[in-house]
Structure formats: structure tokens, C-alpha cells
Amino acid sequence: MTDVGFNAETASTGAGRLHGERSTTVAVILAAGQGTRMRSALPKVLHEVLGRPLVHFPVLAALEAGVSRVVVVVGHGRDQVEASVRSVAPDAIFAVQSEQRGTADAVKAAVAHFGDARRVLILSGDVPGPTSATIAALLAAPGPGTSASPLTVVGFTAADPTGYGRLVTNADGGLLAIVEHKDAAKAGRTDILAETRCNAGIYLVERDLLSETLTRVAGDNAQGELYLTDVARFAAEAGRPGRVYLAGDAAEVEGVNDRAQLAQADARLRRRRNLELMRAGVTLLDPERIRVGFDVTVEADVVLGPDVTLTGRSTVASGASIGQGTVVKDSRIAGGAEILPYCVLDDADVGPRATVGPFAHLRPGTRLLEKAKVGNFVETKKTTLGRGAKASHLTYLGDCDVGEDSNIGAGTITCNYDGVNKHRTRIGARVFVGSNTELVAPCTLGDESVVGAGTTVTADVPAGALALSRAPQVNLDGWAARRGPFARKRARTASGQGEH
Ligand code: UD1
Ligand code: MG
């Protein structure tokens, strides 16, 4: 029988995505365990790798590979896990395993949601590495649904196989059994313990074999758990042994059981992501120090400096550069924009050829239009800087619109908050705001107006006007020579009082 829903073409074009009508494979993601070795209040599968919770990886990979539906088995921290999965896979189905009695028991909880699927893809919620391409290849390879073998198990060769289930095969490579480490140790089977080919916890099973397994499985093992791995023995006993699909890269299928493995998985996926970016034409200066989240888009001919972090749904267009140590979240950076070192951007839009920093903080709602400039020690929030407008030094602009080519002097502060409400400041085009100015909102500065340095603006300024609020300067001739500090010190020395 040929399952037309899965072939290499479908996988690469994504034609079988989501609820592909032709596919008859259901994916089950095991994510009910607590993950005690993480020592965390957060369920293990919600710990993040490169900004993405562990459980999202198998869910998204399965969907992208084209399964007809995804069932996530939840238990420990189920509300949190469900909410998190729903945010990326609104159509995912949840099955509850109220007591964690083993991996076969977890699959049992999902059976009611299999629909008419003929094969079942089982993935672990704590293995973030497999790509959708690997899973698509597994689905397309001869195995359940396409050949005599009712079971394919993804295996890998472990540098240190301690703790993993070992793959026991016959001379033809047929899978006879999967033996858990603890059971091999208990039985004194050093031959099995010496085996380095391990079970990755990823399976493709014909539904009939799985149903039989779930009926027959018993917890007669070292851990007293219902092992899904017994499926291998049942298939072999029925004279139809499973096949092993050996992952080329062991790192791709290593699980996360503690914080050290979490850090390793993070480093691995960061490297993989950075390699993809470099191959796509992005220059990374010291790639080991750069973090780019999965939902970030970076175009060719972008330059990222060391220690740059890009997260959320940020986009960086061709020709932009981001300097060392800058952190960008959910922001859009246009072509040719230059972000200098050590800036923080959150939900900001940086227009074409605009410049930012060093040491600038663009908070949510900041929009810099073409060639606008925000310089060092400037903070902006809900603020638009028009084309060519500049705020070069030491400034706070909150709830503010600045027209094109206006210049905001050093030390300008919008007083946007009266302690209860926020108010807007509207600055027209080609306005010159002198240094150390306070703009008490709400206020409007008309086009081509000028504000003298040191002014506290409390009323609107008409177009073309000069606003000045500082007290007029008075010079008292000779005052300092007679009464200034140096004059007094000199007088004290002369009278022999010495210095204090
Ligand atoms: C399992 C395999 C082992 C394999 C290893 C690969 C079994 C018996 N052993 O061991 O052969 O080498 O994965 O990483 O399957 N889970 C539930 N409900 C449960 C128990 C587990 O949902 O009752 C989930 C966990 O949340 C986790 C996954 O299943 O995501 C695997 O469970 P875990 O306890 O980590 O199994 P391992 O000991 O790693
Ligand atoms: Mg595990």
C-alpha cells in the first residue's frame, strides 16, 4: 500500500502542510512528564532553546513535515503547556495523561484522537533537534505505510549511551528489541550496555501494531513503567521486525533532561541557525557570540556585530548593519539603516538609512523615518521622527511627533506625564529645539519655529516664532573680582588665617 500523502515532493513543497487531506499520519508529542532533573517550577518542555520552548520544536516540525494532525499529550503543568502550544499551533489537539506511568501509557492517552490515521508518528517533547526535513524524510522512507515493516525507529550513535534505550538488531539490521539502560544493567547484559546505537525516542508505527502494543504492554521492567519501546519486541515476535533510521547527526536527536543539556541544545541550534544565515548572505562578526531567534528574518548583505541578539518577530533588511552588543526585539530595521553598538530596540521601526546609537533605547512605538538620527543616550517611546529629523544627544522623547528635518538639541526632555495621564508633544517640520529644553505636554511647536536653549515650553509655539522662557541674563561688573571665591581665598591668605 502506498501512502500518497508522503513523498519527498510533498515534503519539500509543503503541499501536505497542516490538515493535508491526503495524509493519514497523526503525530503524537509526548510532553506530560515533569522533568525532575531540570529542578524547576516550570515544566521541562517549556524551557527555552534559542527563545523557543522545547515542545514547540517537535510540534512545528511535525506540522511542517505534513502530518494530518498533531496530538500533544500533556499532564504535568498541563494548562501552561497547552497555552504555549496553542500559541504556535492553534489546531493542536490535547490529550491528558493524569498520572505519568510511562511512554506507552502516554500514547494510550492520545488514541481517542487518532481519527482514521493509519500510521502514527511519535515524537518526544524534550528532543528539540530534528528538523522538518528529517521528519519528512522519515515519513517518506520505506517503512510503515509504504512497505512490509510496520515500525521505523530513529536511532543514533551516542558518544556516551548511558541512560538511553539500546537498539538490538539482527544480521539484516532488523530491530529485535529496544532495551532500556536500567534493564540491561539489572540483567547484567554487558553486551547490550556496550551497544552505542541508541533509541532517539522518535517512532513511525503502523496503527495496528501500536494498538496491539498498547494492549499487551506490561510494566514488568526495572522502572515499573509502561514502555513504548516494547513495540520493537512485539513487531519482531510477529515476524515483521522494525527498521532503524539512523540519524546522521547524533546532536540532532539528543534529548534535554537537565540544564546542562539545555545549554548544549541551545548552542547547537544557535550554531545551526547562524550557519543558515551566513549561507544566505548575512555577515556575522564572531558568530559564536550572536543569537538570532527562529522567527527573525535577516536579509542578505546585513552585517551583525559580536554579541548582537535579535529576538521575536524582528526583521532586518538588506544593507542594514547592527553594531556590537545591540539587543533587538520585535522590531523592523530597513535597508541601509545603521544601528551602532549597545542599543536596545523593542517594537521599533527604523527607516531606510536612519542611524541609531551608540547607547540608544528605542522603546515600543518608536518610528524613525528615512535618514532620521537618534544619537547616544537618547530614549524614545511612542515617538515618530520624520525624515532627516535628529535627536543626537542625551534626550527623552515620549509620546512625541517630530516633523522632517527638525533638530532636537542635547538634553531635551518631553514632560509627557503629569502623574496621572500621558500627553503628546507635536513638533512641526524644520523646528530647531535648543539644548536643555523641557517640553511640557500637551504642546505644539509650529513649523520652522525655534526654541531657545534652556526654555521650559508650557504653551504652543506658533510657526516661525522664537520661544524663550529663561530669565534675562544680568552681568554685575567687578562682582566676582571683589566677592567671588578666589577673591575671598586671597583675602583670607593675606590676613594670615590660612586654609581650611
Ligand atoms: C526514552 C526511551 C529511551 C530513549 C530516550 C530518548 C522509553 C521507555 N525510553 O527514555 O529508549 O533512548 O527516551 O530520549 O520510552 N513522557 C510522558 N509521560 C510519561 C513518561 C514520559 O509524556 O508517563 C514524556 C516525557 O515528558 C518526555 C518523553 O515522554 O518528553 C520521554 O520521557 P523520558 O522520561 O524523558 O524518557 P527517557 O528516560 O529519556
Ligand atoms: Mg528524556
Side-chain angles (χ1 to χ4, degrees), residues 2 86 131 198 239 264 303 306 326 345-346 390 439 447 464 488:
T2 303
R86 252 189 244 286
T131 60
C198 296
Q264 283 158 12
V303 178
T326 286
L345 281 69
D346 182 3
K390 293 187 175 75
L439 302 166
D447 289 348
R488 281 183 281 142

Side-chain angles (χ1 to χ4, degrees), residues 167-177 197 236 239-244:
L167 303 178
V168 180
T169 52
N170 64 21
D172 303 330
L175 186 62
L176 299 179
R197 285 174 312 153
R240 298 172 72 211
R243 312 295 306 178
V244 174

Side-chain angles (χ1 to χ4, degrees), residues 44-49 52-58 125 128 256 262:
K44 173 169 75 174
V45 296
L46 293 186
H47 279 265
E48 292 185 356
V49 166
R52 178 180 278 180
L54 285 169
V55 68
H56 288 196
F57 290 87
V256 172
L262 186 72

Side-chain angles (χ1 to χ4, degrees), residues 316-354:
V316 188
S318 189
S321 67
I322 304 185
Q324 178 159 351
T326 286
V327 177
V328 178
K329 178 176 168 239
D330 292 321
S331 297
R332 295 142 299 273
I333 298 170
E338 187 180 16
I339 317 289
L340 294 163
Y342 302 106
C343 295
V344 176
L345 281 69
D346 182 3
D347 190 13
D349 282 279
V350 178
R353 288 179 290 158

Side-chain angles (χ1 to χ4, degrees), residues 294-385:
F294 291 102
D295 299 321
V296 173
T297 305
V298 187
E299 292 182 2
D301 286 325
V302 163
V303 178
L304 303 182
D307 304 322
V308 163
T309 297
L310 308 179
T311 64
R313 304 205 163 268
S314 299
T315 59
V316 188
S318 189
S321 67
I322 304 185
Q324 178 159 351
T326 286
V327 177
V328 178
K329 178 176 168 239
D330 292 321
S331 297
R332 295 142 299 273
I333 298 170
E338 187 180 16
I339 317 289
L340 294 163
Y342 302 106
C343 295
V344 176
L345 281 69
D346 182 3
D347 190 13
D349 282 279
V350 178
R353 288 179 290 158
T355 65
V356 177
F359 303 103
H361 186 187
L362 308 189
R363 292 170 50 205
T366 295
R367 284 185 70 213
L368 308 185
L369 303 193
E370 193 176 351
K371 284 192 185 168
K373 178 184 176 191
V374 165
N376 38 203
F377 309 108
V378 173
E379 175 185 346
T380 58
K381 185 216 72 174
K382 287 191 182 157
T383 284
T384 300
L385 258 73

Side-chain angles (χ1 to χ4, degrees), residues 9-51:
E9 195 180 53
T10 308
S12 63
T13 58
R17 258 178 102 91
L18 300 174
H19 292 267
E21 296 68 33
R22 290 178 301 155
S23 49
T24 55
T25 304
V26 60
V28 178
I29 319 289
L30 307 185
Q34 179 179 1
T36 36
R37 285 168 280 178
M38 294 298 280
R39 299 185 183 281
S40 176
L42 191 68
K44 173 169 75 174
V45 296
L46 293 186
H47 279 265
E48 292 185 356
V49 166
L50 206 50

